[in-house]
Amino acid sequence: MRPLKKVETILVLIEPAEEYSGELRRCFPESRVIFSGRDRVTEEEIRDADVILGNPPAEFLKDAGKLKLLQLQSAGADAYTPRGILPEGALLTCATGAYGPAVSEHMIASLLSVYKNLHVYRDNQTARRWRCEGAVRSLRGEKVLVLGLGDIGREFARLASAFGASVSGVKRNLSCKPDWVEAVYPLDKLPEILPQFDVVASVLPSSPETQGLFDRAMLKKMKPGSILVNAGRGSLIDSDALYDALQKGPLLAACLDVTDPEPLPPDHPLWGCRNLLLTPHTAGGFLMKETYHRVWKIALENLSAYAEGRELKNRIRLE
C-alpha cells in the first residue's frame, strides 16, 4: 500500500490489536496515529484528525474541520447522516459486510430457541421445575419473510433456507435476488403479503418509512401463530402494540435484540412476556471475534483506497 494522499493524523477509536495497529503504522509511517476510544476521546483529538476509524460522539464532530474520512465500525450510520454533523466534503463509510455472520446466527439461534421452547425450559431450570412444555415447531417447510436483504438479511435468509424454510424478502432493488430467496417484494406490499408468513424477520435500518411500521394495525395483519424477529432497529415496532399482540394474538412469540425505547425500561410490560425472547442489543458488536477482524479489514481497505484515490467500499452518499 503506497499512499498518494498525505494523511497527517489518523485517529483510531476501534479497539486496537497488534496485528492491525502494526499494519497501520507500517503502511502510513509518516502519519501520526493516535489510539483512543469512544468513551475517552477528546474534542481536541477529533478536531486534529484527518481520518477517524471508529464511531466518535456525533456532537464532537461540529468542529472537526480537518476531517476528510470517517470510517465507522458499525454498519448503521444514523447518527452521522443528518445535515451539519460532518464537515463539508468529509467522506463517510460504514462497516457493512462485517456483521452478517454474527447477527444472522443470533437471529437463527433465537428463532430456534422459541420454536423448541428452550427459553421456557431455561426458566424452568432456574425454578428447578421438571415438566414438558408441549409441542415444538420446525423451520422445515415454514414460510419466512426477511425485511431487508443486505449483508445480514442475505445471511439470515441463507441459513433459514438451509433449514428447509421457504424464504422471501423485502428490499428496494427487486432485480437483485439471492438464489436462496424465492420472491422479493417492495416495502409497500408488506400489508398485503404479511398474512402469508410464519416468520417475519427484520434487519431494516431506521428511516422515515420504517419508524413505527409495525403498529397495531400492521401487527394484526400477521398470521395467527406467527413469530416476529427484530435485529434491525427498535423503532420499527410499537412496543405497547407488540405487548398486546403477544398477549392476545396473533403472535405466538417474538425475538427482539432491539427495542423502543432502548434500553427497555425496567417497568415495561414486555419484560414479563413468557413468549418473548429478549437480548440487549448484543447480536452485533465485537462479542464474536470474527466480526472484529472483519471490521478492521474493511477499515484498512478503505483507508488504503482513500490514500490511493480509489473507490471506497460502503460509502454513504450524504446528498
Side-chain angles (χ1 to χ4, degrees):
M1 180 164 53
R2 295 189 175 182
L4 300 179
K5 292 181 183 176
K6 185 176 181 181
V7 182
E8 291 184 359
T9 304
I10 302 170
L11 175 61
V12 181
L13 305 182
I14 307 172
E15 181 184 343
E18 186 174 345
E19 60 182 301
Y20 300 120
S21 58
E23 182 176 353
L24 190 57
R25 293 185 189 281
R26 285 193 302 273
C27 295
F28 291 86
E30 297 180 1
S31 298
R32 185 166 66 116
V33 181
I34 299 173
F35 293 94
S36 185
R38 179 182 170 88
D39 295 333
R40 61 181 185 275
V41 68
T42 66
E43 293 186 60
E44 182 180 2
E45 288 173 331
I46 289 177
R47 189 167 56 244
D48 291 342
D50 298 281
V51 171
I52 299 175
L53 307 182
N55 290 37
E59 63 272 18
F60 282 13
L61 294 170
K62 62 183 184 299
D63 296 322
K66 292 180 61 181
L67 186 64
K68 303 297 188 298
L69 171 65
L70 172 57
Q71 168 64 56
L72 301 177
Q73 68 185 56
S74 62
D78 304 350
Y80 305 96
T81 55
R83 184 180 297 274
I85 296 294
L86 292 182
E88 190 72 26
L91 302 174
L92 177 65
T93 55
C94 68
T96 293
Y99 294 91
V103 179
S104 63
E105 289 175 13
H106 182 101
M107 293 167 70
I108 283 288
S110 299
L111 182 57
L112 290 176
S113 292
V114 168
Y115 265 31
K116 305 303 181 184
N117 292 331
L118 299 185
H119 60 309
V120 179
Y121 285 118
R122 182 66 195 193
D123 291 344
N124 288 351
Q125 179 182 338
T126 301
R128 301 173 183 263
R129 184 186 302 121
W130 184 282
R131 75 180 182 203
C132 175
E133 291 295 343
V136 298
R137 283 167 58 173
S138 171
L139 259 177
R140 189 179 302 276
E142 297 280 79
K143 295 189 69 174
V144 175
L145 181 66
V146 184
L147 308 182
L149 285 175
D151 171 50
I152 298 170
R154 287 195 305 271
E155 276 294 302
F156 175 79
R158 184 182 65 80
L159 292 173
S161 177
F163 274 97
S166 169
V167 183
S168 298
V170 167
K171 67 191 298 285
R172 289 195 183 113
N173 184 359
L174 303 184
S175 63
C176 183
K177 182 179 74 65
D179 293 341
W180 49 88
V181 173
E182 297 182 7
V184 177
Y185 303 92
L187 187 60
D188 60 11
K189 288 287 186 182
L190 185 60
E192 178 184 335
I193 64 174
L194 203 54
Q196 305 172 25
F197 293 94
D198 303 294
V199 176
V200 177
S202 176
V203 287
L204 288 172
S206 179
S207 72
E209 294 77 22
T210 63
Q211 290 178 4
L213 181 63
F214 277 78
D215 55 13
R216 293 184 188 277
M218 189 70 80
L219 287 167
K220 286 180 180 178
K221 293 180 183 295
M222 293 188 66
K223 183 178 179 179
S226 60
I227 296 176
L228 180 60
V229 182
N230 188 18
R233 288 292 181 268
S235 59
L236 179 82
I237 302 172
D238 180 327
S239 295
D240 294 332
L242 176 63
Y243 174 78
D244 289 341
L246 288 169
Q247 295 299 305
K248 305 171 186 177
L251 292 181
L252 173 70
C255 305
L256 303 181
D257 187 54
V258 289
T259 61
D260 185 26
E262 189 174 300
L264 193 66
D267 60 347
H268 198 284
L270 278 176
W271 284 106
C273 287
R274 196 163 183 253
N275 53 345
L276 170 65
L277 182 58
L278 179 64
T279 51
H281 208 149
T282 53
F286 290 161
L287 297 178
M288 193 167 94
K289 189 171 291 186
E290 173 65 18
T291 305
Y292 173 77
H293 294 309
R294 285 172 173 247
V295 167
W296 259 110
K297 287 174 183 176
I298 291 170
L300 291 174
E301 180 182 335
N302 265 347
L303 183 53
S304 170
Y306 168 75
E308 296 175 3
R310 295 185 281 109
E311 185 176 352
L312 298 173
K313 183 177 182 179
N314 300 335
R315 181 178 173 186
I316 298 170
R317 299 186 182 275
L318 301 178
E319 65 272 15

